[in-house]
Amino acid sequence: MAPSIRLSPAARSLFDEPLAIAVQGLGPRQRVTLRTSLRDETGELFQASAHYQAGDDGELDLARCPALPGGSFSGLEPMGLLWALQPQKPFWRLIKRDVQSPFLLQLEVLEGHGERPGRLLAQVQHERAFLRDGVRRVPVREGRIRATLFLPPGEDTFPGIIDINGYGGGLFEPRASLLANHGFATLALAYYQFEDLPQEPKELHLEYFEEAVNYMLQHPQVKGPGVGLLGFSKGGEVSLAMAAFLNNIKAVASLNAPVVATCIPFYYKDKIIPTVTSYEHKAKATNSKFLDYSDVIDDPFQAPGNQSLIPLEKAEAQFLFIVGQDDHVVKSEYYATEVCKLLQAQGKENFKILSYPGTGHCIDPPFFPLYCIGSHPVFHKRAVLGGELTAYSKAQVHAWSQIQAFFKKYL
């Protein structure tokens, strides 16, 4: 019997779903290398490989067989071949622009464990999709709002979430599309560098974001009376400001976000939150010659009455702070801890912190590759973003399930 690869689901799975991988038809105790490859939409290649030994029966099931040392990872890691994917072009990030098409994953079984891959024994292709069958993608151009709404299958009403990405601008849809597969009506909201929105905004007016909240609450398939916000980095900061000033926000999940206004001030009616001072010269060069920007922002908690601090004590929402202990862009764990102390001092208990060791600034949905050194979102220089492969892969899976549980509970 010739070797063959068995996948479950067989032909297509969702990007954030586990994929069961097994090989049959090998020789007893045969040593093989398994390799995965994926090309992004620009054609850049991501690869991972691992060394394995089949059982006495010639079977190899990644759920039961540990990877041997020498590949991208070792140990019992059934999804290692997906989370360990790394770009062949240094410092490149895997981004999905068009969520309506899947990524194509190539799996190969190669003979032996040598430096150079041995003979190809088996191969298979698999689609990693972003939209479950029946999920609708609806472009939104209502008033000033520039967004995409993802609706789960069916005619029911669903809990509503607005997903806001960090610096970088544009319209970012992967997280929102994946959430819709789990039963949430999710609006991916652009707020600059997209269509007719400002290219380089000098201020952010919360009225724009309020329009998005009202759009969601008026939608016949969004279950009121309030919405949830999911924000990453600057988007998390925007979400916290929205919770402090706007009505109808029930739950905010913030991923590695500052709790102060950074770079762009917030305006709402007659109120202004000015930006905290940052000092680019305080960036430190690491021994790998990349810059560490974790200390460039003034500490808002050391200056009593700091006007840049977002007044979260005014918010009615529930907060879930998700922080990477190895975040080198934002002191996210410190910020979350200090702001929760302030809330506690006000007699509030509307917060929870999930803190992940070995996890850097970028916390994506499960199985996105680690992006630990890349372009700094503000200073646009090569910077340490933080994170360590295995710890980060575990954090992704845990945080993603916690985000869903949090929104199910409060929406």
Side-chain angles (χ1 to χ4, degrees):
M1 179 167 127
S4 63
I5 302 168
R6 194 175 65 236
L7 302 178
S8 177
R12 183 184 174 96
S13 55
L14 291 170
F15 195 90
D16 62 343
E17 259 183 350
L19 178 65
I21 302 171
V23 184
Q24 53 203 25
L26 295 169
R29 318 284 297 160
Q30 185 174 354
R31 293 157 78 84
V32 290
T33 298
L34 267 60
R35 183 167 68 190
T36 43
S37 310
L38 176 156
R39 286 194 185 274
D40 72 5
E41 289 151 322
T42 68
E44 290 300 335
L45 179 65
F46 288 74
Q47 280 192 325
S49 65
H51 294 165
Y52 285 99
Q53 184 166 18
D56 292 330
D57 55 1
E59 292 269 326
L60 173 59
D61 182 346
L62 271 55
R64 293 201 298 272
C65 282
L68 305 170
S72 304
F73 60 91
S74 60
L76 188 63
E77 298 287 355
M79 286 294 285
L81 285 167
L82 282 88
W83 57 247
L85 284 165
Q86 281 294 291
Q88 301 307 289
K89 179 180 183 174
F91 319 118
W92 193 255
R93 187 175 190 190
L94 184 66
I95 293 175
K96 191 73 176 107
R97 298 284 175 209
D98 174 14
V99 298
Q100 295 175 97
S101 68
F103 276 133
L104 210 54
L105 185 73
Q106 187 96 21
L107 266 104
E108 298 166 307
V109 182
L110 304 156
E111 206 167 39
H113 290 170
E115 277 297 297
R116 305 187 70 76
R119 187 167 59 97
L120 180 68
L121 302 175
Q123 63 178 334
V124 69
Q125 277 196 340
H126 184 84
E127 291 183 354
R128 294 289 278 171
F130 285 77
L131 295 175
R132 188 185 292 288
D133 287 346
V135 171
R136 285 154 294 161
R137 179 187 176 275
V138 185
V140 178
R141 305 293 182 270
E142 293 265 333
R144 291 180 300 171
I145 305 169
R146 302 292 174 263
T148 305
L149 178 63
F150 293 93
L151 290 167
E155 298 306 308
D156 296 348
T157 60
F158 305 99
I161 296 170
I162 300 175
D163 177 64
I164 307 175
N165 206 35
Y167 279 113
L171 183 57
F172 179 82
E173 298 183 358
R175 210 169 28 231
S177 64
L178 290 171
L179 267 180
N181 299 322
H182 295 281
F184 299 98
T186 315
L187 186 76
L189 182 65
Y191 56 104
Y192 77 106
Q193 271 179 27
F194 183 72
E195 293 183 359
D196 56 353
L197 294 173
Q199 280 302 302
E200 298 290 339
K202 296 283 176 275
E203 63 246 358
L204 288 177
H205 291 268
L206 292 177
E207 285 85 353
Y208 172 77
F209 300 94
E210 192 168 37
E211 246 183 84
V213 173
N214 294 336
Y215 167 80
M216 287 294 275
L217 290 174
Q218 285 157 14
H219 195 284
Q221 283 196 267
V222 173
K223 177 178 161 183
V227 297
L229 306 176
L230 173 58
F232 163 64
S233 194
K234 180 70 181 180
E237 181 194 310
V238 170
S239 302
L240 297 174
M242 288 168 73
F245 291 103
L246 308 182
N247 295 324
N248 301 315
I249 289 162
K250 295 281 179 255
V252 178
S254 142
L255 295 158
N256 281 338
V259 295
V260 290
T262 60
C263 301
I264 312 170
F266 291 109
Y267 285 69
Y268 184 63
K269 296 179 177 165
D270 56 349
K271 298 182 184 68
I272 300 174
I273 307 183
T275 56
V276 70
T277 311
S278 62
Y279 305 94
E280 194 178 348
H281 69 267
K282 287 191 176 176
K284 299 188 289 280
T286 63
N287 50 13
S288 54
K289 305 288 187 289
F290 303 115
L291 292 167
D292 182 336
Y293 284 97
S294 49
D295 280 323
V296 299
I297 292 177
D298 257 354
D299 186 341
F301 298 101
Q302 298 305 319
N306 188 307
Q307 296 301 298
S308 304
L309 210 52
I310 296 166
L312 287 186
E313 67 282 355
K314 292 191 162 90
E316 297 297 313
Q318 293 289 328
F319 293 108
L320 178 64
F321 294 96
I322 294 172
V323 298
Q325 291 177 15
D326 194 37
D327 184 348
H328 287 263
V329 176
V330 174
K331 285 188 159 175
S332 44
E333 186 181 36
Y334 172 69
Y335 286 160
T337 307
E338 291 302 312
V339 88
C340 290
K341 282 184 198 163
L342 293 180
L343 289 173
Q344 212 160 12
Q346 304 257 351
K348 296 202 157 204
E349 291 177 1
N350 58 336
F351 56 84
K352 181 179 178 182
I353 300 175
L354 291 175
S355 182
Y356 294 102
T359 300
H361 186 61
C362 298
I363 300 181
D364 289 311
F367 315 124
F368 268 93
L370 173 66
Y371 182 59
C372 58
I373 292 171
S375 177
H376 189 278
V378 178
F379 301 113
H380 306 297
K381 291 189 180 138
R382 189 124 318 136
V384 179
L385 308 178
E388 181 272 306
L389 192 57
T390 308
Y392 168 66
S393 70
K394 307 262 186 289
Q396 279 177 309
V397 172
H398 188 264
W400 191 235
S401 68
Q402 294 297 303
I403 288 166
Q404 292 169 51
F406 171 72
F407 285 131
K408 284 196 171 106
K409 181 172 178 180
Y410 293 111
L411 300 178

